[in-house]
Amino acid sequence: MSARERVTRNTHEFWKATCGIDTHARGSGNARNDTPWVAFTADRKALVCTVWEDQIAKVVDPTNNRTRSFVMLGGKSTRWKGGAVKRGREAEAAIDEALKLRVPVFGFRAVASGDDPAHMTRHVKHINLDHVSILKPQFGRAADDPRERLGLEKKLRDLWKSPDVDALNTATLFELVEATGNVPGADWNPLLAPATGTDNAAELRGNALAARIVLPYLVEHIRRQTDGIIVPLTYSDLATMLGRIKADGNAFAQGMGKVLGEVTRLVEAGTRDWPEELRPPHITSIVVAKSGATAGLPSDGVKDYWPGFEALTPAEKRAKVRDEFDRILAYGDRWLQVLESVGLGSAATPADPDSANGKDKRYGWGGGESEEHKQLRLNVLARPELFGLKNTLLAETEYPLLSGDRLDVFFRTQASWVGVEVKSIRSADDDLERGVYQCVKYLAVMRAQAFIHEPAGTEIQVRAVLVVQKQLPAALEELATKLGVKWMVLPPGHFAQATPA
C-alpha cells in the first residue's frame, strides 16, 4: 500500500461519503461488519460494492497473456441467519436492479483485519479508496464465458475459505476493470481536516478518526528506530502522512495538536484498567516542532501530563524529552498490546533490506544498530592512529565500563586510555548533544578506573573523544568547548578516501 493511497478504517464514514447512508442507523456494529455490502448512491446513478481483496481471483488469459481479475457478489448461503439473510436479499436485489437498469457498478477493495477465515463474520481492517474498479458482469450465456475456460469456479471457491461458500452458487460473476466516469467518493479524503466553519462535533469526529490512524503510525515509527535512539517526527510529517496538504503542496500542520490530544485520550481509555506500573509512556512526545524557539520539543499540550514542563530551562526540557524517548523504546512489545487494547490490532514488523545478504533485517524498538553506526564504529576501531596512538595493547569495540556503560571504541597503550563515542550521520542534534555529555561521563569513569586499577605512580593520560560524521551546530561546539570535550568530524566516505587503492 502506497503512503499516498487513501484508506479508511471507518466504514461508517465510507458509506456516508460514497452513498450518503448512515449505517449506524441500523446499529453501530453494522458499519464495521457489513462488508462486503452494496448500496446505491444518493442519486441512484451508481451502485457501490465493497469486495474482500483476498477473494478476488486473478488469472492470466492465454488468449492475450493479460491478467484478469474476477469476484463473485450477490449470492445467498443456507448458513446465514436472521439479519444476514435479510442483507443478502437486499444485496442481491440491488445488484439485479443495477444490471437491469445498466447502472455502473463500482467495487472498492476491503482488507480483512486478520479474523479467522473459518468464521463467516469478518472485520474490516481498511477500505482502499484508490483501488476502485468497474464491476463488469459475466453471464454464462456470453460467447466468451471465462468460468470454465479460465478455471474460475475452483479458484474462487479456494479463495473463499469461509463455511458459507455455498453463496457462490447463486452469486453473480464480475470482472474488475479500470474505473471510469464519476467515481463515488472520488473527492473525499477521510484524513483531511474539517473545512472552515465545520461544526465542533464534526471536527471532533475527524480528529478521533485521524487519531486511530496516527497511533499505529507512531508505534511503527518507534519499531523502526536503531542505535537506541528515537528520531522524532514533526507535526508536518504527521500532516503529510494524513494527506493534510495545502494547495502549494506543503503540509497543513495546523490542528495536529488536537489530533495528538485524541491519541493521548485513546491510549488512556484503552489502558485505564491496567496497573499503574504497566501503563505506557507518552508516545505523542515523539512528535516535535520543526523550527522556532521550541524546535525539537513537543507542543504545549505536554503540560497536561508533565506539570511544570513549561518552567524548565530549554536544556532541562530536552533532557526530559530524551528520558521519555528512552522509556518509549524500553516499553517494547507492550506497544502492540496498547494497539490491541484500543481495537487497532498490531503494527506490522518493519523490515529493511540487509545490504550483506539482500534479506530482510528486522529491528526492535531501537535495540538494533544502523549500518552507518556499525561501519563508523568498526572503521574507527581499525584506525588508532587517528588519536595519535601507536603500539596499542588493547583495541576493543563495545568495551564495558564498570559504570555499566559501553564505549563504542576503546584503546589502551602503556601510557594512554582513549574512549570513543561515535555518532553516525543518522544522529540528530539532540543525539549529538547526548554524545557530548556521554563523553563527560565516560572520561570521569575511565579516570576513576585508571586511578584504581593502574599501578601506583603510573602516569596515564585518559581521553574521551566524540567522533561525528557531520559538523556540530555552533551551539554544540560551544557546549563541547566549555566542557572540555574533544570531537572529530569524519564525514561519510572519509575512510574509503583514506584507504589506498
Side-chain angles (χ1 to χ4, degrees):
M1 184 176 67
S2 166
R4 293 185 176 274
E5 289 180 353
R6 298 176 304 149
V7 300
T8 178
R9 292 172 172 82
N10 190 321
T11 56
H12 170 67
E13 295 295 336
F14 169 78
W15 288 113
K16 284 182 64 177
T18 57
C19 297
I21 294 175
D22 181 4
T23 57
H24 281 179
R26 303 165 62 220
S28 60
N30 287 315
R32 182 164 57 94
N33 296 333
D34 283 1
T35 299
W37 192 52
V38 303
F40 282 99
T41 55
D43 59 8
R44 301 188 72 80
K45 291 183 178 180
L47 185 69
V48 173
C49 303
T50 51
V51 296
W52 294 120
E53 189 170 82
D54 60 357
Q55 291 179 355
I56 298 173
K58 297 181 180 180
V59 295
V60 176
D61 192 329
T63 60
N64 52 20
N65 203 33
R66 180 172 61 91
T67 299
R68 301 173 66 183
S69 299
F70 298 89
V71 71
M72 299 281 279
L73 291 177
K76 299 187 297 293
S77 170
T78 57
R79 292 175 174 267
W80 293 347
K81 301 181 184 299
V85 174
K86 178 183 177 183
R87 289 188 289 275
R89 290 171 179 167
E90 291 173 349
E92 183 183 34
I95 289 173
D96 288 346
E97 181 178 350
L99 298 182
K100 179 180 179 180
L101 299 177
R102 299 184 180 277
V103 169
V105 181
F106 292 90
F108 290 81
R109 301 189 186 188
V111 176
S113 65
D115 302 77
D116 185 351
H119 296 284
M120 288 181 288
T121 299
R122 309 177 84 191
H123 294 174
V124 174
K125 180 180 181 182
H126 65 252
I127 296 177
N128 194 318
L129 285 87
D130 292 323
H131 277 194
V132 55
S133 306
I134 287 286
L135 299 183
K136 180 181 177 182
Q138 301 289 313
F139 299 108
R141 62 179 180 273
D144 178 25
D145 180 11
R147 294 173 192 259
E148 294 186 9
R149 186 169 64 81
L150 300 179
L152 285 178
E153 294 284 356
K154 182 179 186 306
K155 191 170 183 64
L156 287 163
R157 288 181 180 275
D158 289 345
L159 289 173
W160 193 269
K161 298 175 184 175
S162 176
D164 58 349
V165 67
D166 63 319
L168 295 179
N169 296 334
T170 53
T172 300
L173 177 67
F174 289 94
E175 181 174 6
L176 285 71
V177 299
E178 184 179 356
T180 57
N182 186 18
V183 178
D187 297 327
W188 177 64
N189 192 329
L191 310 179
L192 290 176
T196 302
T198 302
D199 62 85
N200 291 337
E203 182 180 7
L204 287 174
R205 288 194 300 270
N207 288 340
L209 169 61
R212 298 184 70 83
I213 297 169
V214 166
L215 178 56
Y217 177 74
L218 297 182
V219 171
E220 184 171 347
H221 180 74
I222 296 167
R223 296 194 72 174
R224 290 183 180 275
Q225 303 309 292
T226 57
D227 301 334
I229 60 174
I230 290 179
V231 177
L233 295 164
T234 67
Y235 295 95
S236 294
D237 290 335
L238 283 195
T240 300
M241 185 275 293
L242 290 173
R244 296 185 173 187
I245 306 298
K246 294 183 290 187
D248 61 5
N250 293 317
F252 182 73
Q254 183 178 346
M256 285 308 307
K258 293 181 179 180
V259 173
L260 291 175
E262 288 298 321
V263 171
T264 298
R265 282 184 279 277
L266 182 64
V267 172
E268 290 175 345
T271 61
R272 65 163 58 98
D273 296 329
W274 293 14
E276 184 66 31
E277 64 274 14
L278 294 181
R279 290 182 187 173
H282 297 290
I283 193 171
T284 56
S285 64
I286 72 171
V287 184
V288 302
K290 186 176 183 179
S291 59
T294 60
L297 297 174
S299 73
D300 291 341
V302 299
K303 67 179 181 291
D304 294 335
Y305 49 84
W306 286 345
F309 182 76
E310 64 273 17
L312 300 177
T313 67
E316 289 172 331
K317 288 179 178 178
R318 290 195 297 273
K320 174 69 175 176
V321 170
R322 280 200 295 266
D323 179 68
E324 194 71 0
F325 285 6
D326 289 342
R327 294 180 63 229
I328 288 170
L329 286 177
Y331 202 67
D333 283 343
R334 282 175 290 184
W335 284 118
L336 303 183
Q337 298 173 24
V338 173
L339 292 181
E340 293 285 356
S341 75
V342 298
L344 291 176
S346 297
T349 302
D352 291 309
D354 189 325
S355 57
N357 57 25
K359 297 180 180 179
D360 281 349
K361 170 176 59 179
R362 297 190 182 275
Y363 302 124
W365 315 111
E369 182 180 26
S370 68
E371 189 62 32
E372 292 86 349
H373 187 275
K374 176 183 177 182
Q375 195 59 56
L376 179 59
R377 175 170 56 80
L378 295 178
N379 284 337
V380 168
L381 178 68
R383 296 289 300 278
E385 66 271 17
L386 287 169
F387 310 95
L389 300 177
K390 295 180 180 179
N391 303 318
T392 54
L393 301 175
L394 177 66
E396 189 171 324
T397 185
E398 297 186 334
Y399 178 79
L401 295 175
L402 293 179
S403 61
D405 301 293
R406 287 181 179 271
L407 293 170
D408 284 326
V409 181
F410 177 71
F411 300 109
R412 186 166 69 219
T413 69
Q414 288 285 2
S416 298
W417 285 22
V418 178
V420 185
E421 174 68 16
V422 306
K423 296 294 183 185
S424 76
I425 195 68
R426 285 176 173 252
S427 289
D429 289 355
D430 64 331
D431 192 43
L432 297 177
E433 182 182 42
R434 185 204 297 254
V436 172
Y437 282 102
Q438 284 173 312
C439 285
V440 172
K441 178 181 181 181
Y442 298 159
L443 180 62
V445 175
M446 286 191 296
R447 282 175 173 168
Q449 288 188 207
F451 176 75
I452 295 298
H453 298 291
E454 288 290 340
T458 304
E459 291 187 7
I460 298 294
Q461 182 188 41
V462 181
R463 289 181 286 156
V465 182
L466 176 64
V467 172
V468 297
Q469 290 193 297
K470 59 185 176 183
Q471 195 67 40
L472 293 178
L476 290 185
E477 286 192 356
E478 182 180 356
L479 173 67
T481 300
K482 285 182 177 179
L483 296 176
V485 172
K486 305 298 182 183
W487 75 91
M488 184 181 299
V489 181
L490 302 176
H494 169 87
F495 292 97
Q497 296 172 4
T499 302

